[in-house]
């Protein structure tokens, strides 16, 4: 991997769909994942093994894993909050799993039904089982730039939870601006503190675009040496426990930025823009990806 190679972890099928109120058909989910792989995405979060009554949209994740056409070289991952979820993920054939902690107590309680300390005990059980099974574990830290319940979140708390996730064996930790309130100066400030003890190649940024700051936040993260970014095709998504929060940065907008700034990503932008438009139409939404729309308009004008 060179310093200009970027890893994108595609969130559309998980973060993108988990909050949709109307049912999304299994066929749509499977088609989305297969199309994303066809666009060149190599890391695709395909679903969650969580309580179906808490996140109904993810209840058919086992069937999603069964239905997709696995493309060689693509890592299909899933969220696993505890051992029960991990065992289901193993049965479904997930290549990688993700545990998801919070830097704020309020969000931890709403999202995971327990405090941070208890969640970390459960996650350590998952990482131990995953190590035995030879399955890599990614960690998330939510609310790195603010919490919908507690307000401001300290850098110390973000760094503490991140370090604990690495200590238990996570291969990478993704820093989640769950409600999109981060701004470039603040994100830079946080990264400067966090990267004192953790190398940048182990960190990913997971920027929700609720306040339109995601691309700016990603740009400062690139400047700080981060090379892994989460993104959601067509900007779809949000979190059921972060009211009003919209989707991750649109993958199309991220890819456009990377193209123009000379980074390598391996993704076909026009095809991805078509996928972003298609999934938004399927969800009866408008795409929020400006780059995706511009690409399609340019194509139509030719
Ligand atoms: P709990 O209720 O505390 O768990 O749930 P429990 O151990 O007390 O068990 C209660 C019941 O749930 C039992 O069933 C368990 O079997 C069942 P019963 O015996 O009563 O019939 N159960 C499960 N069922 C299916 N799958 C499981 C599972 N675990 C227990 N894995 C739990 C704790 C975390 C599971 C629950 O609160 C939950 O599912 N929460 C939803 C979490 C979620 O998916 N949130 C959205 C994703 S996170 C996110 O979007 C943020 C992120 O994008 C980063 C960012 O943006 O910041 C990652
Ligand atoms: Mg998220």
């Amino acid at each position: 991997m060179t310093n200009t190679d970027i890893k994108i972890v595609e969130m559309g099928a998980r973060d993108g769909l988990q909050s949709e109120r109307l049912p999304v058909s299994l066929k749509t989910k499977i088609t989305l994942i297969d199309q994303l792989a066809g666009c060149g995405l190599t890391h695709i979060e395909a679903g969650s093994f969580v309580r179906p009554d808490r996140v109904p949209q993810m209840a058919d994740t086992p069937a999603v894993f069964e239905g997709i056409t696995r493309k060689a070289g693509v890592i299909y991952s899933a969220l696993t909050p505890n051992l029960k979820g991990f065992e289901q993920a193993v049965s479904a054939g997930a290549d990688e799993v993700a545990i998801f902690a919070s830097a704020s107590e309020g969000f931890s309680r709403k999202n995971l039904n327990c405090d941070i300390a208890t969640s970390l005990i459960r996650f350590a059980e998952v990482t131990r089982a995953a190590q035995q099974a030879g399955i890599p574990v990614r960690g998330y830290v939510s609310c790195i730039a603010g919490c919908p319940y507690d307000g401001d979140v300290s850098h110390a708390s973000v760094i503490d939870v991140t370090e604990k996730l690495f200590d238990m064996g996570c291969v990478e930790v993704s820093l989640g601006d769950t409600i999109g309130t981060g701004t470039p100066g603040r994100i830079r400030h946080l990264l400067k503190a966090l990267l004192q003890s953790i190398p940048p190649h182990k960190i990913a940024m997971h920027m929700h675009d609720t306040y339109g700051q995601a691309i700016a936040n990603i740009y400062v993260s690139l400047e700080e040496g981060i090379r892994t970014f989460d993104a959601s095709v067509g900007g779809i998504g949000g979190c059921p426990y972060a009211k009003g929060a919209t989707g991750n940065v649109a993958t199309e907008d991220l890819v456009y930025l990377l193209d123009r700034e000379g980074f390598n990503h391996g993704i076909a932008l026009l095809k991805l823009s078509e996928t972003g438009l298609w999934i938004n139409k399927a969800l009866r939404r408008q795409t929020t990806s400006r780059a995706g729309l511009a690409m399609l308009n340019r194509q139509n004008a030719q």
Side-chain angles (χ1 to χ4, degrees), residues 18-282:
Q18 67 183 6
S19 302
E20 283 299 312
R21 282 181 197 282
L22 295 176
V24 180
S25 74
L26 179 61
K27 186 166 177 266
T28 300
K29 291 175 183 172
I30 291 169
T31 306
L32 173 63
I33 292 170
D34 288 345
Q35 281 192 20
L36 290 167
C39 293
L41 284 147
T42 53
H43 294 75
I44 299 177
E45 208 167 70
S48 308
F49 295 95
V50 297
R51 276 184 63 159
D53 57 326
R54 300 282 305 265
V55 189
Q57 198 63 258
M58 293 289 107
D60 58 358
T61 296
V64 169
F65 269 90
E66 209 180 308
I68 54 178
T69 303
R70 296 213 181 211
K71 190 176 168 208
V74 175
I75 291 171
Y76 298 92
S77 61
L79 294 191
T80 55
N82 50 22
L83 268 184
K84 182 169 180 146
F86 175 73
E87 279 154 15
Q88 290 172 353
V90 173
S91 302
D95 301 308
E96 185 175 301
V97 297
I99 53 180
F100 45 108
S102 171
S104 76
E105 289 291 353
F107 186 74
S108 183
R109 284 177 198 280
K110 293 278 183 196
N111 195 39
L112 298 168
N113 199 27
C114 62
D115 60 16
I116 297 172
T118 308
S119 78
L120 293 173
I121 292 169
R122 291 179 190 163
F123 292 145
E125 290 170 1
V126 174
T127 52
R128 270 197 297 277
Q131 267 155 10
Q132 278 170 10
I135 295 178
V137 183
R138 175 180 226 232
Y140 284 97
V141 181
S142 286
C143 298
I144 60 143
C147 169
Y149 308 101
D150 299 352
D152 287 343
V153 174
S154 73
H155 290 178
S157 176
V158 177
I159 294 167
D160 181 52
V161 176
T162 304
E163 286 177 343
K164 285 180 173 147
L165 290 174
F166 280 122
D167 288 347
M168 66 177 77
C170 286
V171 293
E172 172 179 286
V173 171
S174 177
L175 303 180
D177 183 5
T178 317
I179 52 173
T181 47
T183 48
R186 287 166 181 258
I187 294 294
R188 191 193 297 282
H189 199 207
L190 168 65
L191 283 177
K192 284 211 182 293
L194 184 129
L195 297 174
Q196 302 275 324
S197 56
I198 301 162
H201 70 269
K202 298 189 94 175
I203 295 293
M205 302 305 281
H206 178 103
M207 300 282 105
H208 281 268
D209 203 20
T210 317
Y211 290 86
Q213 304 298 303
I215 282 289
N217 291 337
I218 287 170
Y219 192 72
V220 295
S221 308
L222 280 165
E223 287 184 328
E224 295 302 321
I226 306 294
R227 294 292 178 265
T228 301
F229 298 96
D230 299 353
S232 178
V233 66
I236 58 173
C239 175
Y241 297 100
K243 256 199 166 148
T246 58
N248 277 111
V249 65
T251 316
E252 301 92 307
D253 293 358
L254 171 61
V255 168
Y256 181 78
L257 172 80
L258 297 173
D259 266 350
R260 301 289 290 177
E261 295 294 327
F263 290 94
N264 310 319
H265 49 73
I267 294 160
L269 180 53
L270 186 57
K271 208 168 166 189
L272 183 69
S273 304
E274 285 161 357
T275 301
L277 194 68
W278 166 76
I279 188 62
N280 272 287
K281 272 191 183 152

